[in-house]
Structures are given as C-alpha cells and as structure tokens.
Amino acid sequence: MLYKTAFPISLLQYLFYTSEVALYPVVWTVNQLTSPFLISTKEDHWDLEIIIKKIVYPPLIILFLSVFGIPAIFGVILRCLLHLFRRPYVLSVEKSFHPPSINERRASISVGRLHPDGRRNSLLSKGLSKTFTVSSANLCLLPELLSRINNLPNTDHRSWKIGERIVIDQFFFQNSMNSIQSFSPVSRKNAGTSQSERTVVEPGHNILTHFPKLDFLCLQETWDRDYSHKLMSELHKVFPWIMYDVGKTNLLTNRFMLNSGLMLASKYEILDADFHPYTDSFSQCLYSSKGLLMTKVLLSSTEHHDEVGYIFTTHMQAYQGIFVDAK
C-alpha cells in the first residue's frame, strides 16, 4: 500500500504541526545558538564574530530555554503520542505530473520513465535498451548541532546545494563534462628549506562531483525533516516520485528520536513500498529507525503486460546484535 500522507486523517497531521510549532523555538536555540561552541575545521576559533557570539549567545540560550521550555515539553509529549499513528513512509509525487491510469498506460504502450522535461521515454517499449542507473549517497543531513559534531556545518545550505548539483547534472551532463578543466596542483616554496617544494591542494578546488544520468537515487541519513524537504524541492525537478520520511517511531525502535534517514527518488512510477525496521540495534543506532526500504516500480507497460522492478535500500552502517565492550 502506498501512503501519500503521514497520517491516516488530517486532524492528526494538524496536531503534529502544532507539536512542531511548540518545539521549534527550543530546537532552533539548541541548533543555532550553540554553533559558536562547535567550530568546524573550516572556521577560525579566533574570528571576531565567533568570539562575540560566544559572549552574547549563552544568556540568550538561557532566556529562550526558560521562556519556551514548557511549551516544548508539551510538544514532545504530543509528538511522541502522534508518532504511534504515523505511517512508515510518505510518497511525494510532483504536483505538475499526473501519472496515467493503468488502462491509459496500456493503451498508449507507454513506459514509466520520464525525461527531465516531463516527456515520456519510449525506448523500453521499442526494445532498444533495458539498462538502469542507480546511485547511492550518504548525506548526513542531521540537525545542525549533530552535524557540527560530525564536522559538517551549515546543513540548511548543504541540503539545498546537494539537490541543486544533482539536478544540474541531470539536465546539463554533456555540457558539464565538456567544461571540466584539467587538474593543476599549486606548488609553493617551503619556508624551511629554500630548495625543496611541496604541493598544496586547496580544499574545495578541482574536486569533481558527478552524478550520472540517474533512474533511481537512494539516499541515506536525510534525518532532519526540514532539510530533507529542501532537498526534495530540488530533486522533484527531475524525479517525479520520491519516498521520504521513512521509519517507524516508537520507544523500542528509536526512542522516539530520528527516523531511518532513507530517501528514494525515482524517474519511474512507484507502485508499492514497505519498510522493515531493524529490531536489535545498539550504540547510536538505538536512536534512529534504521531498516530496509523496499519499493516496487513500473519499468514499462504494454497492452499485454507490465514490467516491474524492485529497489531495496538500507544503510552504510547499522549496528546490530549484542554490544561487546572491547576494553
């Protein structure tokens, strides 16, 4: 069964929005106002702006937590109760795209794949090609506080930028390949020994990030709901079907904390899906609903039969079993 909404009735969704509003001031305070105390390697500890923030932010943190703490407690309780009724995933279909019915597909001998401009691709029905491209990426879209602990600041910007880079590559793959410049390292004199040289590679320069023309994109660690929505808004420009907010939230599975972080974007129509959480987690995996996302997609459709495929995605790491302390 496919779920296109997070809850079976709209009232529960509105109540969930209420809990999110009650939580937002505290979540924002913890994520944003603690940033000067979790400096990444790209930032300077002695930067004047950071020093000023370290002085100004602590009183603000105490003030905001004091004012918004009680509503946040209410939001946490309401959110935990509502998660017991929340569905294990949500399927988002691009609003400008309206998939044809089964009868329409068979009548037109169409296929499920779309070009970025929305036109149907008839290659499969003509028997020219039956190859598909699947890519997987681990994004670490955590709340800002946890992202900084992983030395990945500015998650809000990263979520949008990742989606933009993927989309651009889908549209302008050939042009981007033609414009790639050859790598030329920078050589500088070593101040210690005048006759020796060392090669210095500037961080962020001459790094090629290429996403080939994809049919399916399997993403992990898209945990933060707000950031995943920003990523989706970009991906929807080329992927009409996206599975997101995947996971089962309860006390035993993830302590009412993070969802699975899995997301699947597809250029083919998703027909069915299911999610199975892992049940024997330990360490940090106790606080996320890691598991296996299984989807069934329509690859082609003729007047005689439908061709379907199955895409399974899970995590790069998922600690399972009994934890044994190595000490």
Side-chain angles (χ1 to χ4, degrees):
M1 180 180 293
L2 288 177
Y3 301 118
K4 295 186 178 180
T5 58
F7 292 95
I9 59 176
S10 57
L11 174 61
L12 296 179
Q13 183 65 68
Y14 290 127
L15 289 174
F16 191 80
Y17 288 150
T18 302
S19 70
E20 296 280 273
V21 170
L23 275 169
Y24 182 79
V26 169
V27 172
W28 183 88
T29 299
V30 171
N31 282 314
Q32 302 302 324
L33 298 189
T34 59
S35 60
F37 306 97
L38 294 169
I39 305 300
S40 69
T41 53
K42 294 181 179 180
E43 298 168 318
D44 183 4
H45 286 264
W46 301 107
D47 182 80
L48 180 60
E49 181 181 353
I50 292 178
I51 294 175
I52 293 175
K53 287 180 178 179
K54 286 182 178 181
I55 298 172
V56 174
Y57 280 7
L60 292 178
I61 293 174
I62 296 173
L63 175 63
F64 290 167
L65 292 181
S66 301
V67 173
F68 299 108
I70 294 178
I73 293 173
F74 164 77
V76 169
I77 296 173
L78 180 59
R79 182 177 179 272
C80 291
L81 292 174
L82 291 172
H83 265 304
L84 299 177
F85 303 95
R86 192 178 180 91
R87 288 164 169 170
Y89 61 82
V90 180
L91 171 63
S92 176
V93 181
E94 174 56 36
K95 294 180 180 179
S96 61
F97 174 75
H98 301 284
S101 65
I102 294 178
N103 291 332
E104 289 174 334
R105 287 198 300 264
R106 289 175 175 170
S108 61
I109 316 180
S110 63
V111 297
R113 187 178 182 181
L114 294 177
H115 285 293
D117 61 5
R119 293 182 290 107
R120 289 279 183 182
N121 183 353
S122 60
L123 290 179
L124 292 181
S125 61
K126 294 179 181 179
L128 296 180
S129 174
K130 288 193 176 182
T131 60
F132 309 93
T133 305
V134 182
S135 182
S136 179
N138 192 306
L139 304 185
C140 195
L141 296 184
L142 283 161
E144 183 68 17
L145 173 66
L146 299 178
S147 289
R148 282 184 168 272
I149 293 175
N150 285 275
N151 198 32
L152 290 168
N154 303 319
T155 315
D156 182 82
H157 177 72
R158 282 196 302 113
S159 60
W160 168 77
K161 195 66 176 179
I162 290 169
E164 181 191 53
R165 293 295 295 269
I166 295 173
V167 169
I168 288 175
D169 219 24
Q170 302 301 293
F171 279 112
F172 308 111
F173 167 69
Q174 192 60 49
N175 291 337
S176 64
M177 291 300 292
N178 293 336
S179 63
I180 291 176
Q181 298 179 353
S182 60
F183 173 75
S184 57
V186 180
S187 296
R188 296 179 181 176
K189 285 286 184 179
N190 188 323
T193 55
S194 59
Q195 294 182 350
S196 63
E197 291 185 349
R198 63 177 178 175
T199 300
V200 178
V201 180
E202 299 293 342
H205 291 258
N206 299 308
I207 297 175
L208 305 182
T209 55
H210 169 56
F211 302 88
K213 292 187 176 181
L214 302 175
D215 297 304
F216 307 99
L217 178 61
C218 302
L219 300 175
Q220 299 88 43
E221 296 193 5
T222 61
W223 276 310
D224 189 280
R225 192 172 288 112
D226 292 334
Y227 299 147
S228 64
H229 279 131
K230 290 194 174 186
L231 174 64
M232 281 174 49
S233 66
E234 289 295 316
L235 294 181
H236 257 320
K237 295 175 182 178
V238 290
F239 295 99
W241 292 274
I242 298 179
M243 304 285 300
Y244 72 101
D245 202 1
V246 180
K248 293 184 178 180
T249 299
N250 53 57
L251 182 61
L252 296 178
T253 302
N254 61 350
R255 308 302 191 266
F256 289 107
M257 298 296 286
L258 300 171
N259 61 23
S260 72
L262 297 176
M263 180 185 291
L264 187 142
S266 173
K267 291 181 181 176
Y268 291 78
E269 183 177 354
I270 296 177
L271 300 176
D272 200 1
D274 198 5
F275 173 76
H276 285 284
Y278 299 142
T279 57
D280 198 18
S281 301
F282 68 87
S283 189
Q284 64 262 36
C285 292
L286 286 170
Y287 307 101
S288 60
S289 179
K290 291 188 176 181
L292 177 67
L293 174 63
M294 301 166 286
T295 56
K296 177 182 178 181
V297 295
L298 177 68
L299 299 178
S300 69
S301 179
T302 71
E303 56 185 348
H304 301 295
H305 71 282
D306 294 336
E307 288 188 359
V308 300
Y310 297 89
I311 306 293
F312 291 8
T313 181
T314 186
H315 311 270
M316 292 182 65
Q317 66 175 35
Y319 299 138
Q320 296 290 296
I322 300 175
F323 175 72
V324 178
D325 194 344
K327 293 182 180 179

